[in-house]
Amino acid sequence: MPEVMFQGPDGRLEARYHHAKMPNAPLALVLHPHPLHGGNMNNRVTYTLYQVFQRLGFSVMRFNSRGVGKSQGRYSGGEGELADAAEALDWLQRINPNSKTVWVAGYQYGAFIGMQMLMRRPEVCGFIAVTPPANHFDFTFLAPCPQSGLMVTGAKDEIVPEPAVAKLVQKLNTQKGIKIDYRVFEDCDHFFVEHCDRLADAAEDHLLTALGRDERMKLAAD
């Protein structure tokens, strides 16, 4: 789990990167929650998602957006954080030029940034969004949503109430060819304390299904 530093749009960015043994392994970028509320790449949910991708044989990165940890720059209100994520994906692809499969995953604010990445980067073929903040941010840009994916939330979330996420899922599921795998954890609040194992199981189950038989066999052989 080596520490790496790479050049972002507003200075150097701090990251952790796992390079898979399998040639041309699928790629994953994991995005942390809101930097103004303590969000960073070591958040328990962010780290859980990172571990799932690593365990399944992905080359995976999590990083601190501008102004967080050792990352340079200052929080910019969203536009800069999206640019940071785009540069992180560019870095991943430069290191892995022959990888064809790309996923994005994010928690809370990171889910919002990840869904914007989905719209801007056609190579992204799937996503995991944990408690996407549908009550705080406008997700109408997902029209149409280009890919199916997994959304997870807690039934006792008081920061992003479950009905707000359910409404977003319902809208996306009406789009042609889109299927959102929606999972609600009972007795779980916004922070997933004591629920990260369940989250890992859900993410792994979704990924193994979405990757398909051929990709699963390649990963299993690694």
Side-chain angles (χ1 to χ4, degrees):
M1 194 185 302
E3 178 180 352
V4 298
M5 299 289 292
F6 64 95
Q7 186 62 38
D10 195 33
R12 295 180 64 77
L13 297 173
E14 176 190 19
R16 296 292 185 275
Y17 171 65
H18 167 76
H19 188 76
K21 296 179 181 179
M22 185 182 75
N24 307 329
L27 306 180
L29 180 65
V30 183
L31 305 169
H32 65 68
H34 206 296
L36 296 186
H37 301 288
N40 63 66
M41 67 178 176
N42 295 319
N43 167 272
R44 69 166 65 86
V45 172
T46 305
Y47 183 64
T48 295
L49 294 172
Y50 179 92
Q51 287 185 308
V52 170
F53 284 111
Q54 179 177 339
R55 186 163 60 246
L56 292 183
F58 283 67
S59 288
V60 55
M61 171 187 279
R62 69 187 200 273
F63 76 99
N64 281 330
S65 62
R66 59 186 63 197
V68 179
K70 297 178 183 178
S71 292
Q72 297 175 333
R74 297 176 61 185
Y75 174 71
S76 76
E79 183 176 344
E81 288 68 34
L82 178 58
D84 291 345
E87 185 56 46
L89 183 54
D90 287 344
W91 187 94
L92 271 175
Q93 292 178 310
R94 286 195 296 271
I95 299 298
N96 302 275
N98 297 315
S99 295
K100 304 301 181 184
T101 302
V102 180
W103 281 68
V104 293
Y107 168 45
Q108 195 235 40
Y109 185 73
F112 177 60
I113 298 296
M115 298 303 284
Q116 293 181 74
M117 288 284 290
L118 185 71
M119 296 296 294
R120 288 162 170 77
R121 301 295 287 259
E123 67 269 35
V124 176
C125 64
F127 68 87
I128 297 174
V130 181
T131 63
N135 60 326
H136 294 289
F137 296 99
D138 184 1
F139 281 80
T140 57
F141 61 84
L142 293 169
C145 182
Q147 299 292 344
S148 298
L150 170 68
M151 289 191 175
V152 181
T153 196
K156 293 188 175 180
D157 193 327
E158 296 182 350
I159 297 174
V160 180
E162 188 276 331
V165 182
K167 184 177 180 179
L168 173 61
V169 170
Q170 183 179 17
K171 288 183 177 180
L172 295 179
N173 275 335
T174 64
Q175 297 183 16
K176 184 178 180 180
I178 296 301
K179 174 60 179 177
I180 304 303
D181 179 1
Y182 184 43
R183 309 198 187 193
V184 180
F185 293 174
E186 299 297 328
D187 300 319
C188 177
D189 65 10
H190 186 73
F191 302 101
F192 283 78
V193 177
E194 299 183 358
H195 292 275
C196 281
D197 287 345
R198 293 174 65 190
L199 176 61
D201 289 344
E204 184 168 327
D205 178 64
H206 178 84
L207 283 162
L208 289 174
T209 299
L211 287 170
R213 178 178 177 274
D214 291 343
E215 193 72 31
R216 290 200 304 269
M217 289 179 66
K218 291 178 184 177
L219 292 170
D222 182 29

